[in-house]
Amino acid sequence: MAKPATILVKMVSTADTGFFYVTKKNPRNSTEKFEMRKYDPVVRKHVAFKEEKIK
């Protein structure tokens, strides 16, 4: 069987709260690491989230 086109990645908050989102990514189309601004409910603000691998 073929490998799936999308992989799951963990988006970790840069506010060092430990909060994270899990999202899908197609590594064939976007080879660089994700970085996006999303809501962190621990600090109750929008902060940058960076991609990490799921362990």
Side-chain angles (χ1 to χ4, degrees):
M1 288 188 61
K3 291 173 67 175
T6 58
I7 60 171
L8 290 176
V9 293
K10 182 161 67 166
M11 304 295 292
V12 180
S13 173
T14 57
D16 292 329
T17 58
F19 186 78
F20 64 92
Y21 288 99
V22 176
T23 186
K24 290 181 183 177
K25 172 186 171 178
N26 186 341
R28 295 177 193 160
N29 297 338
S30 55
T31 56
E32 66 277 351
K33 295 214 179 240
F34 271 170
E35 180 173 339
M36 57 178 96
R37 286 178 54 84
K38 290 182 76 64
Y39 183 73
D40 188 341
V42 179
V43 292
R44 300 194 329 222
K45 292 183 183 177
H46 279 82
V47 296
F49 279 75
K50 293 192 175 187
E51 173 187 334
E52 284 187 5
K53 285 190 174 182
I54 295 180
K55 295 179 181 174

Coordinates of all heavy atoms in Angstrom, one line a residue:
M1 N 0.8 -1.2 0.0 CA 0.0 0.0 0.0 C 0.9 1.2 0.0 O 2.0 1.2 0.5 CB -0.9 0.0 1.2 CG -2.0 -1.0 1.2 SD -3.2 -0.8 2.5 CE -3.8 0.9 2.2
A2 N 0.3 2.3 -0.5 CA 1.1 3.6 -0.6 C 1.0 4.3 0.8 O 0.0 4.1 1.5 CB 0.5 4.5 -1.7
K3 N 2.0 5.1 1.0 CA 1.9 5.9 2.3 C 0.9 7.1 2.1 O 0.7 7.6 1.0 CB 3.3 6.6 2.5 CG 4.4 5.5 2.9 CD 5.7 6.2 2.9 CE 5.8 7.2 4.1 NZ 7.2 7.7 4.2
P4 N 0.2 7.4 3.2 CA -0.7 8.5 3.0 C 0.0 9.9 2.8 O 1.1 10.1 3.1 CB -1.4 8.6 4.4 CG -0.5 7.9 5.3 CD 0.3 6.9 4.5
A5 N -0.7 10.8 2.1 CA -0.1 12.0 1.7 C 0.0 13.0 2.8 O 0.9 13.9 2.8 CB -1.0 12.7 0.6
T6 N -0.9 12.9 3.8 CA -0.9 13.8 5.0 C -0.3 13.1 6.2 O -0.5 12.0 6.4 CB -2.3 14.4 5.3 OG1 -3.1 13.3 5.5 CG2 -2.8 15.2 4.1
I7 N 0.4 13.9 7.0 CA 0.9 13.5 8.3 C 0.3 14.4 9.4 O -0.1 15.5 9.1 CB 2.4 13.4 8.4 CG1 3.0 14.8 8.1 CG2 3.0 12.4 7.4 CD1 4.5 14.9 8.4
L8 N 0.3 13.9 10.6 CA -0.2 14.7 11.7 C 1.0 15.4 12.4 O 2.1 14.7 12.5 CB -0.9 13.8 12.8 CG -2.2 13.2 12.4 CD1 -2.7 12.3 13.5 CD2 -3.2 14.3 12.2
V9 N 0.9 16.6 12.7 CA 1.9 17.4 13.3 C 1.4 18.1 14.5 O 0.2 18.4 14.6 CB 2.6 18.4 12.4 CG1 3.4 17.8 11.3 CG2 1.6 19.4 11.8
K10 N 2.2 18.3 15.5 CA 1.8 19.0 16.8 C 2.2 20.4 16.7 O 3.4 20.7 16.4 CB 2.4 18.3 17.9 CG 2.0 18.9 19.3 CD 2.3 17.9 20.5 CE 3.7 17.7 20.7 NZ 3.9 17.0 22.1
M11 N 1.3 21.4 16.9 CA 1.6 22.8 16.9 C 1.7 23.2 18.4 O 0.7 23.2 19.1 CB 0.5 23.6 16.2 CG 0.2 23.1 14.8 SD 1.6 23.4 13.7 CE 1.6 25.2 13.6
V12 N 2.9 23.6 18.8 CA 3.2 23.9 20.2 C 3.2 25.4 20.4 O 3.8 26.1 19.6 CB 4.5 23.2 20.7 CG1 4.8 23.6 22.1 CG2 4.4 21.7 20.5
S13 N 2.6 25.9 21.5 CA 2.6 27.3 21.8 C 4.0 27.8 22.1 O 4.8 27.2 22.8 CB 1.7 27.6 23.0 OG 1.7 28.9 23.4
T14 N 4.3 29.0 21.6 CA 5.6 29.7 21.9 C 5.5 30.4 23.2 O 6.6 31.0 23.6 CB 6.0 30.6 20.8 OG1 5.0 31.6 20.6 CG2 6.3 29.9 19.5
A15 N 4.4 30.5 23.9 CA 4.3 31.1 25.2 C 4.7 30.2 26.3 O 4.6 30.6 27.5 CB 2.8 31.6 25.4
D16 N 5.2 29.0 26.0 CA 5.7 28.0 27.0 C 4.7 27.6 28.0 O 5.0 27.5 29.2 CB 7.0 28.6 27.7 CG 8.2 28.7 26.7 OD1 8.2 27.9 25.8 OD2 9.0 29.6 26.9
T17 N 3.4 27.4 27.5 CA 2.4 27.0 28.4 C 2.2 25.5 28.3 O 1.5 24.9 29.2 CB 1.1 27.7 28.1 OG1 0.7 27.4 26.7 CG2 1.1 29.2 28.3
G18 N 2.8 24.9 27.3 CA 2.6 23.4 27.1 C 1.3 23.1 26.3 O 1.1 21.9 26.0
F19 N 0.5 24.1 25.9 CA -0.7 23.9 25.2 C -0.3 23.6 23.7 O 0.6 24.2 23.2 CB -1.6 25.1 25.3 CG -2.9 24.9 24.6 CD1 -3.9 24.1 25.2 CD2 -3.2 25.4 23.4 CE1 -5.1 23.9 24.6 CE2 -4.4 25.2 22.7 CZ -5.4 24.4 23.4
F20 N -1.0 22.7 23.0 CA -0.8 22.4 21.6 C -2.0 22.0 20.9 O -3.0 21.7 21.5 CB 0.3 21.3 21.5 CG -0.2 19.9 22.1 CD1 -0.8 19.0 21.3 CD2 0.0 19.6 23.4 CE1 -1.2 17.8 21.7 CE2 -0.4 18.4 23.9 CZ -1.1 17.5 23.1
Y21 N -2.0 22.2 19.6 CA -3.0 21.8 18.7 C -2.4 20.6 17.8 O -1.2 20.6 17.6 CB -3.4 22.9 17.7 CG -4.3 24.0 18.3 CD1 -3.7 25.2 18.7 CD2 -5.6 23.8 18.4 CE1 -4.4 26.2 19.2 CE2 -6.4 24.9 19.0 CZ -5.8 26.0 19.4 OH -6.5 27.0 19.9
V22 N -3.2 19.8 17.3 CA -2.8 18.7 16.4 C -3.5 19.0 15.0 O -4.7 19.3 15.0 CB -3.2 17.3 16.8 CG1 -2.8 16.3 15.8 CG2 -2.5 17.0 18.2
T23 N -2.7 19.1 14.0 CA -3.2 19.4 12.6 C -2.6 18.5 11.6 O -1.6 17.8 11.9 CB -3.0 20.9 12.3 OG1 -3.6 21.2 11.1 CG2 -1.5 21.2 12.2
K24 N -3.1 18.5 10.4 CA -2.6 17.7 9.3 C -1.7 18.6 8.4 O -1.9 19.8 8.3 CB -3.7 17.1 8.5 CG -4.5 16.1 9.2 CD -5.6 15.5 8.3 CE -6.4 14.5 9.0 NZ -7.5 14.0 8.1
K25 N -0.7 17.9 7.8 CA 0.2 18.6 6.9 C 0.5 17.7 5.7 O 0.7 16.5 5.9 CB 1.4 19.1 7.6 CG 2.5 19.6 6.8 CD 3.8 19.8 7.6 CE 4.9 20.2 6.7 NZ 6.1 20.5 7.4
N26 N 0.6 18.3 4.5 CA 1.0 17.5 3.4 C 2.5 17.9 3.1 O 2.8 18.9 2.6 CB 0.2 17.8 2.1 CG 0.5 17.0 1.0 OD1 1.6 16.4 0.9 ND2 -0.4 16.9 0.0
P27 N 3.5 17.0 3.5 CA 4.9 17.3 3.4 C 5.4 17.4 2.0 O 6.5 17.9 1.7 CB 5.6 16.2 4.2 CG 4.6 15.1 4.2 CD 3.2 15.7 4.1
R28 N 4.6 16.9 1.0 CA 5.0 17.0 -0.4 C 4.9 18.4 -0.9 O 5.6 18.9 -1.7 CB 4.2 16.1 -1.3 CG 4.5 14.6 -0.9 CD 3.6 13.7 -1.8 NE 3.6 12.4 -1.3 CZ 2.7 11.5 -1.5 NH1 1.6 11.8 -2.3 NH2 2.8 10.3 -1.0
N29 N 3.8 19.1 -0.4 CA 3.5 20.5 -0.9 C 4.2 21.5 0.0 O 4.6 22.6 -0.6 CB 2.0 20.7 -0.9 CG 1.3 19.8 -1.9 OD1 1.9 19.3 -2.8 ND2 0.0 19.6 -1.7
S30 N 4.2 21.4 1.3 CA 4.8 22.4 2.2 C 6.0 21.7 2.9 O 5.8 21.0 3.9 CB 3.8 22.9 3.1 OG 3.2 21.8 3.8
T31 N 7.2 21.9 2.5 CA 8.3 21.3 3.0 C 8.9 22.0 4.3 O 9.5 21.4 5.1 CB 9.5 21.1 2.0 OG1 9.8 22.5 1.5 CG2 9.0 20.3 0.8
E32 N 8.6 23.3 4.4 CA 9.1 24.0 5.6 C 8.2 23.8 6.8 O 7.1 23.3 6.6 CB 9.2 25.5 5.3 CG 7.9 26.2 5.0 CD 7.4 26.1 3.6 OE1 8.1 25.6 2.7 OE2 6.2 26.5 3.4
K33 N 8.6 24.2 7.9 CA 7.9 24.0 9.1 C 6.7 25.0 9.2 O 6.9 26.2 8.9 CB 8.8 24.1 10.4 CG 9.8 23.0 10.4 CD 10.1 22.6 11.9 CE 11.1 21.5 11.9 NZ 10.6 20.4 12.6
F34 N 5.6 24.6 9.7 CA 4.5 25.5 9.9 C 4.7 26.4 11.1 O 5.4 26.1 12.0 CB 3.2 24.7 10.3 CG 2.4 24.2 9.2 CD1 1.4 23.3 9.4 CD2 2.6 24.6 7.9 CE1 0.6 22.8 8.4 CE2 1.8 24.1 6.9 CZ 0.8 23.2 7.1
E35 N 4.2 27.6 10.9 CA 4.1 28.6 12.0 C 2.9 29.4 11.8 O 2.7 30.0 10.7 CB 5.4 29.5 12.1 CG 5.3 30.4 13.3 CD 6.6 31.2 13.5 OE1 7.6 30.8 13.0 OE2 6.5 32.3 14.1
M36 N 2.0 29.5 12.8 CA 0.8 30.2 12.6 C 0.3 30.8 14.0 O 0.7 30.3 15.0 CB -0.3 29.4 12.0 CG -0.7 28.2 12.7 SD -2.1 27.3 11.9 CE -1.2 26.1 10.9
R37 N -0.4 31.9 13.9 CA -1.0 32.5 15.1 C -2.3 31.8 15.4 O -3.2 31.9 14.6 CB -1.1 34.0 15.0 CG 0.2 34.7 15.0 CD 0.1 36.2 14.8 NE -0.8 36.8 15.7 CZ -0.6 37.2 16.9 NH1 0.7 37.1 17.4 NH2 -1.5 37.8 17.7
K38 N -2.4 31.3 16.6 CA -3.7 30.7 17.1 C -3.9 31.1 18.5 O -3.1 31.6 19.2 CB -3.6 29.2 16.9 CG -3.6 28.7 15.5 CD -3.7 27.2 15.3 CE -5.0 26.6 15.6 NZ -6.1 26.9 14.7
Y39 N -5.1 30.8 19.0 CA -5.5 31.1 20.4 C -4.9 30.1 21.4 O -5.1 28.9 21.3 CB -7.0 31.2 20.5 CG -7.5 31.6 21.8 CD1 -7.4 32.9 22.2 CD2 -8.1 30.7 22.7 CE1 -7.9 33.4 23.5 CE2 -8.6 31.1 23.9 CZ -8.4 32.5 24.3 OH -8.9 32.9 25.5
D40 N -4.3 30.7 22.4 CA -3.8 29.8 23.6 C -4.7 30.1 24.8 O -4.6 31.2 25.3 CB -2.3 30.2 23.9 CG -1.7 29.2 24.9 OD1 -2.5 28.6 25.6 OD2 -0.5 29.2 24.9
P41 N -5.5 29.2 25.2 CA -6.5 29.5 26.3 C -5.8 29.6 27.6 O -6.4 30.1 28.6 CB -7.4 28.3 26.2 CG -6.7 27.2 25.6 CD -5.7 27.9 24.6
V42 N -4.6 29.1 27.8 CA -3.9 29.2 29.1 C -3.5 30.7 29.4 O -3.8 31.2 30.5 CB -2.6 28.3 29.1 CG1 -1.9 28.4 30.4 CG2 -3.0 26.9 28.8
V43 N -3.0 31.4 28.4 CA -2.6 32.8 28.6 C -3.8 33.7 28.0 O -3.7 34.9 28.2 CB -1.3 33.2 27.9 CG1 -0.2 32.5 28.6 CG2 -1.3 32.8 26.4
R44 N -4.8 33.1 27.4 CA -6.0 33.8 26.9 C -5.6 34.9 25.9 O -6.0 36.1 26.0 CB -6.8 34.4 28.0 CG -7.3 33.3 29.0 CD -8.3 33.8 29.9 NE -8.3 35.1 30.3 CZ -8.5 35.5 31.6 NH1 -8.8 34.7 32.5 NH2 -8.5 36.8 31.9
K45 N -4.7 34.6 25.0 CA -4.2 35.4 23.9 C -3.9 34.6 22.6 O -3.8 33.4 22.7 CB -2.9 36.1 24.3 CG -3.0 37.1 25.4 CD -1.6 37.7 25.6 CE -1.6 38.7 26.8 NZ -0.3 39.2 27.0
H46 N -3.8 35.3 21.5 CA -3.4 34.7 20.3 C -1.8 34.8 20.3 O -1.3 35.9 20.5 CB -3.9 35.5 19.1 CG -5.3 35.0 18.7 ND1 -6.4 35.5 19.3 CD2 -5.7 34.1 17.8 CE1 -7.5 35.0 18.8 NE2 -7.1 34.1 17.9
V47 N -1.2 33.7 20.1 CA 0.3 33.6 20.1 C 0.7 32.8 18.9 O -0.1 32.1 18.3 CB 0.9 33.0 21.4 CG1 0.6 33.9 22.6 CG2 0.4 31.6 21.7
A48 N 2.0 32.8 18.6 CA 2.5 32.0 17.5 C 2.7 30.5 18.0 O 3.1 30.2 19.1 CB 3.9 32.5 17.1
F49 N 2.3 29.6 17.1 CA 2.4 28.2 17.4 C 3.4 27.6 16.3 O 3.3 27.9 15.1 CB 1.1 27.5 17.2 CG 0.2 27.6 18.4 CD1 -0.4 28.8 18.7 CD2 0.1 26.5 19.3 CE1 -1.2 28.9 19.8 CE2 -0.7 26.6 20.4 CZ -1.4 27.8 20.7
K50 N 4.4 26.8 16.7 CA 5.3 26.2 15.8 C 5.2 24.7 15.8 O 4.8 24.1 16.7 CB 6.8 26.6 16.3 CG 7.1 28.1 16.2 CD 8.5 28.3 16.3 CE 8.8 29.8 16.1 NZ 10.2 30.1 16.1
E51 N 5.6 24.2 14.6 CA 5.4 22.7 14.4 C 6.5 21.9 15.1 O 7.6 22.3 15.1 CB 5.5 22.5 12.9 CG 5.5 21.1 12.5 CD 5.7 20.9 11.0 OE1 5.4 21.8 10.2 OE2 6.2 19.8 10.7
E52 N 6.0 20.8 15.7 CA 6.9 19.8 16.2 C 6.4 18.4 15.8 O 5.2 18.3 15.4 CB 7.0 19.8 17.7 CG 7.8 21.0 18.3 CD 8.0 20.9 19.8 OE1 7.5 19.9 20.4 OE2 8.5 21.8 20.4
K53 N 7.3 17.4 15.8 CA 6.8 16.1 15.5 C 6.0 15.5 16.7 O 6.3 15.8 17.9 CB 8.0 15.2 15.3 CG 8.7 15.4 13.9 CD 9.7 14.3 13.6 CE 10.2 14.5 12.2 NZ 11.2 13.4 11.9
I54 N 5.1 14.6 16.4 CA 4.4 13.9 17.4 C 5.2 12.7 17.8 O 5.7 11.9 17.0 CB 3.0 13.4 16.9 CG1 2.1 14.7 16.6 CG2 2.3 12.5 17.9 CD1 0.8 14.3 16.1
K55 N 5.4 12.5 19.1 CA 6.3 11.5 19.6 C 5.4 10.3 20.0 O 4.3 10.3 20.3 CB 7.1 11.9 20.8 CG 8.0 13.0 20.4 CD 8.8 13.5 21.6 CE 9.7 14.6 21.2 NZ 10.4 15.2 22.3

